[in-house]
Amino acid sequence: KYIDEIPPSIQNERLGRCLHSGIAFHHAELDRDQRALVEDGFRAGEIRALVSTTTLAWGVNLPAKNVFIEMMKYDGRKSSNSRPMLLPISVTDFHQAAGRAGRLGSGDDFGRAVMMASTPYEHEILWDRYVYSQNELSESRPEARRFLDLLFRLIVCGAVNSETRAISIVSEMYCFRNPENHDIIRDLVSSSTEYLEKEGLLVVEKSGYFRVTLFGESSCSTGLSVKSCVRIGEAIRDSEFCDPQEALFFALESEEWTEQGGYYSRINISAEELFRKLGYHTDGLIERSEYLNANLRRVKSKRVAMKFTAWLFALEWISGAPTRDLEKLFIRGSGGLKHDADTLSWILNGIEKIVRCLKSGWPPDKIDELSTLSLQLKYGVATPMIPLAKKLEIDREFIRRLYDFGIKTENDLYQVDCQTFQGILPRSVIAGIVEKIGQKSSEKSSPGNKSVSDYILFTGVTEKRLKQIIVFGRSIFLQPKLYSYLQKLWWAYKSGKQWVYKDSLEPGFNQSKYIFKLKRSLGKYSGEIEIVSDGAGSYRLILSESEDAADIVSDNQQIGVNGR
């Protein structure tokens, strides 16, 4: 896979500039395609130097000759104002990173790990802490909150059906095998089951056996923590929120978002602009909602301001705003944005399950909107594009290209031959689409029954920034904008929609100028291919072998480009 086959983004452009010099970067905000490109390039030796966070040291087989280790890192923990904290790396992180150097079986007989010290004293500290020390013992005993989630899942799956059985199972766990822990285990199990019963997730029968409630089953199926599910249940019963967009804001208060979501500050957006944009997306919901108004009164708090900013990100994401624009506005890489959208989609999906379980009085259409909102977050597209996104499972930017081109439904996919995609999508993406829709690139129409693709073929070949098309078997190279115009006219012709309004060719002005240039570029084939204006800002393509231009143009229309 090449860099130009990866979805466009600012992060992708930066990565491309680095790759051009044989270097690259690797961190948690790379998306799946970028990560694969970097890792494969480093293994192949095409990337000579790689700058990485410690994510690369864990679980990725990338041996190197020299590994330079920085002793400080952002380890995921956050300060009281939700900013990431810079802390010394752990001994385990050091050994994992150093282990990349000259790995056994990698083919290299040399490896060196280097950590820089600025003074002899710092040299001694680093040597004692990281080279001579043993790996830290990980904290194996789960904290009370994690224990509650663990026990609840054991109960729901049927592995535990009573307190006695729970104590027996937990006692066999590695972190509790010390006999001195028996009292601790009994207290943890007792307090956890008491909490689960009090919150309505569990019923303890007179016999001592557990019975999971419907609310408990639904909560467990969400994958969210017990306390998050309880909080969602309380909010639904108290009608704190009763609109899908309010639920989206509520998702930003969950511990799952606090732990896994990104950092959204207002560095690039003023408060006035923030709420103007929010008002545009929510259509006055903030003024109508008591829940949102209560948060608005606390907006001077940095944490609350960050929630409103993250809410704007989510609303912009589902509106289909270009990834590049969102990266610039929220100062976050494309991979981080996708991760955050996935996290919110998961939380909203859990909220929807609990809403349906509690039969809260939400109208069915509002619950369906909640489900749709979760899908929009998952795929990063506006509602009309969801069926196409679900079918193809490709990046949101590629879905938008198809939709703007006129391919809007699954049925449209089956009406298009493979050449249609070549001018608008990378080849690797086209191959995936062809596999999903079951088309063969070699499909051809029968002799004597020509298809439109026999008249015009978009090859996807580029030479000196010009793009190739084949018109009636002859090659033409067009400027990218003219190529795009012809594609849209051609697709409208093929799909039977015929007329294309100028704004569909390109937003703004001067469409007639480019139509004129396109017509001039096709001039040598003027007897076989024509572009017609209806005099009101719409254009259409005419192929002479399929229909007579004279039958199309009425007295007040002129074959040409100026619409006069």
Side-chain angles (χ1 to χ4, degrees):
K1 182 173 283 192
Y2 299 97
I3 191 71
D4 58 359
E5 293 188 305
I6 295 175
S9 66
I10 293 175
Q11 184 166 261
N12 208 45
E13 293 168 6
R14 291 171 179 164
L15 183 58
R17 289 196 295 271
C18 292
L19 290 173
H20 185 72
S21 302
I23 61 177
F25 52 84
H26 188 291
H27 53 71
E29 287 195 15
L30 293 182
D31 65 26
R32 179 182 57 193
D33 293 322
Q34 292 165 343
R35 188 176 296 115
L37 182 71
V38 169
E39 292 171 5
D40 292 345
F42 191 72
R43 287 192 193 96
E46 296 171 350
I47 296 172
R48 306 302 301 276
L50 182 59
V51 180
S52 170
T53 61
T54 52
T55 55
L56 192 63
W58 290 85
V60 181
N61 183 22
L62 286 182
K65 287 186 177 181
N66 296 288
V67 177
F68 294 86
I69 305 171
E70 168 59 49
M71 60 184 170
M72 303 292 286
K73 76 164 189 174
Y74 292 102
D75 76 340
R77 281 177 276 183
K78 296 180 181 178
S79 64
S80 57
N81 63 359
S82 297
R83 289 191 69 89
M85 294 173 64
L86 188 64
L87 299 168
I89 65 170
S90 66
V91 175
T92 304
D93 278 337
F94 169 80
H95 286 297
Q96 286 287 337
R100 305 294 112 185
R103 300 189 68 193
L104 184 64
S106 66
D108 285 327
D109 56 1
F110 171 84
R112 173 169 52 203
V114 180
M115 182 174 271
M116 308 296 289
S118 56
T119 65
Y121 177 70
E122 187 179 347
H123 173 278
E124 184 178 345
I125 293 287
L126 295 177
W127 194 271
D128 288 343
R129 173 171 170 75
Y130 293 109
V131 180
Y132 284 155
S133 70
Q134 299 293 319
N135 282 356
E136 303 103 330
L137 291 174
S138 60
E139 182 59 52
S140 57
R141 181 178 297 175
E143 58 182 281
R145 179 170 64 90
R146 301 296 182 197
F147 181 85
L148 176 64
D149 294 337
L150 171 65
L151 179 62
F152 182 54
R153 282 159 177 72
L154 288 171
I155 293 170
V156 174
C157 76
V160 166
N161 59 5
S162 66
E163 280 199 22
T164 303
R165 178 63 176 162
I167 293 170
S168 173
I169 290 283
V170 172
S171 298
E172 292 300 314
M173 293 180 181
Y174 172 76
C175 53
F176 286 110
R177 294 192 75 171
N178 189 328
E180 296 176 0
N181 288 324
H182 184 77
D183 290 340
I184 296 173
I185 295 169
R186 189 182 60 235
D187 291 343
L188 277 172
V189 169
S190 177
S191 61
S192 297
T193 53
E194 183 180 336
Y195 177 82
L196 292 170
E197 184 174 31
K198 179 183 126 189
E199 298 300 339
L201 293 98
L202 186 69
V203 173
V204 180
E205 308 281 9
K206 290 182 180 179
S207 60
Y209 288 106
F210 298 152
R211 176 170 58 81
V212 181
T213 65
L214 186 60
F215 175 47
E217 290 177 357
S218 297
S219 297
C220 189
S221 70
T222 67
L224 302 173
S225 71
V226 169
K227 295 208 168 174
S228 285
C229 292
V230 168
R231 176 71 184 94
I232 292 167
E234 289 173 349
I236 292 169
R237 292 187 190 98
D238 296 342
S239 300
E240 285 188 41
F241 60 85
C242 43
D243 183 273
Q245 289 183 334
E246 287 180 298
L248 177 57
F249 189 90
F250 182 85
L252 297 167
E253 296 183 342
S254 66
E255 59 187 26
E256 282 76 13
W257 173 258
T258 302
E259 292 173 356
Q260 300 181 37
Y263 179 78
Y264 287 85
S265 70
R266 289 197 296 107
I267 292 176
N268 281 351
I269 184 170
S270 66
E272 181 181 354
E273 180 69 3
L274 170 66
F275 286 100
R276 187 190 67 77
K277 285 178 174 286
L278 286 173
Y280 171 78
H281 286 296
T282 59
D283 192 25
L285 177 64
I286 298 177
E287 290 77 13
R288 300 192 306 268
S289 167
E290 292 183 13
Y291 167 63
L292 294 174
N293 262 286
N295 279 274
L296 190 59
R297 287 191 289 272
R298 296 184 289 115
V299 76
K300 289 185 179 179
S301 159
K302 189 168 186 178
R303 189 182 294 272
V304 175
M306 285 175 59
K307 278 198 299 185
F308 276 104
T309 309
W311 192 38
L312 177 61
F313 150 69
L315 295 171
E316 290 273 340
W317 179 262
I318 64 178
S319 73
T323 304
R324 293 184 84 265
D325 293 349
L326 299 181
E327 286 178 296
K328 186 175 180 180
L329 182 61
F330 298 107
I331 320 176
R332 190 146 168 78
S334 58
L337 295 175
K338 291 172 185 177
H339 173 269
D340 291 345
D342 280 341
T343 300
L344 285 172
S345 176
W346 163 49
I347 298 169
L348 267 188
N349 185 259
I351 292 174
E352 181 208 342
K353 288 181 178 179
I354 295 175
V355 167
R356 291 186 188 277
C357 164
L358 295 179
K359 297 181 176 149
S360 60
W362 275 44
D365 61 324
K366 286 291 184 184
I367 301 178
D368 291 340
E369 284 178 30
L370 192 56
S371 176
T372 300
L373 191 56
S374 177
L375 289 173
Q376 285 183 266
L377 285 161
K378 178 180 178 181
Y379 296 113
V381 296
T383 305
M385 303 183 196
I386 289 176
L388 203 61
K390 287 177 71 174
K391 176 66 180 178
L392 298 180
E393 296 280 349
I394 59 177
D395 189 82
R396 64 195 296 267
E397 293 292 329
F398 297 146
I399 291 293
R400 194 156 56 95
R401 287 186 193 177
L402 290 173
Y403 196 85
D404 290 346
F405 186 64
I407 301 171
K408 301 187 175 182
T409 65
E410 184 176 335
N411 186 55
D412 287 341
L413 289 170
Y414 292 101
Q415 301 300 318
V416 177
D417 53 60
C418 300
Q419 288 85 358
T420 304
F421 303 120
Q422 290 180 356
I424 53 177
L425 296 176
R427 294 180 184 180
S428 60
V429 177
I430 295 171
I433 291 176
V434 170
E435 184 178 349
K436 280 188 173 68
I437 65 179
Q439 282 188 295
K440 304 295 182 183
S441 59
S442 59
E443 286 180 356
K444 294 181 180 178
S445 55
S446 59
N449 184 26
K450 286 189 175 182
S451 70
V452 177
S453 58
D454 293 318
Y455 301 133
I456 302 178
L457 174 65
F458 296 85
T459 66
V461 174
T462 302
E463 285 187 13
K464 297 179 180 179
R465 298 187 178 180
L466 299 179
K467 298 193 173 217
Q468 184 190 45
I469 63 168
I470 307 295
V471 180
F472 295 101
R474 287 159 290 188
S475 174
I476 302 177
F477 283 88
L478 297 174
Q479 294 175 356
K481 185 170 286 194
L482 304 185
Y483 185 88
S484 170
Y485 272 43
L486 185 59
Q487 272 191 319
K488 292 175 181 178
L489 291 166
W490 172 82
W491 169 244
Y493 175 92
K494 183 175 179 182
S495 62
K497 297 172 185 175
Q498 304 295 332
W499 294 102
V500 179
Y501 187 60
K502 61 181 183 178
D503 285 349
S504 297
L505 292 172
E506 180 187 22
F509 306 97
N510 297 321
Q511 295 91 339
S512 61
K513 179 176 75 173
Y514 291 107
I515 288 287
F516 178 79
K517 288 183 179 181
L518 176 59
K519 187 171 177 64
R520 188 171 58 186
S521 298
L522 299 172
K524 64 177 74 174
Y525 308 111
S526 58
E528 299 165 309
I529 181 170
E530 293 285 355
I531 299 173
V532 174
S533 168
D534 68 351
S538 293
Y539 302 92
R540 70 173 293 183
L541 196 66
I542 299 174
L543 301 178
S544 63
E545 295 193 18
S546 59
E547 55 188 324
D548 188 347
D551 294 335
I552 301 296
V553 186
S554 64
D555 293 337
N556 63 346
Q557 293 173 335
Q558 175 184 354
I559 296 179
V561 297
N562 296 323
R564 294 194 295 267

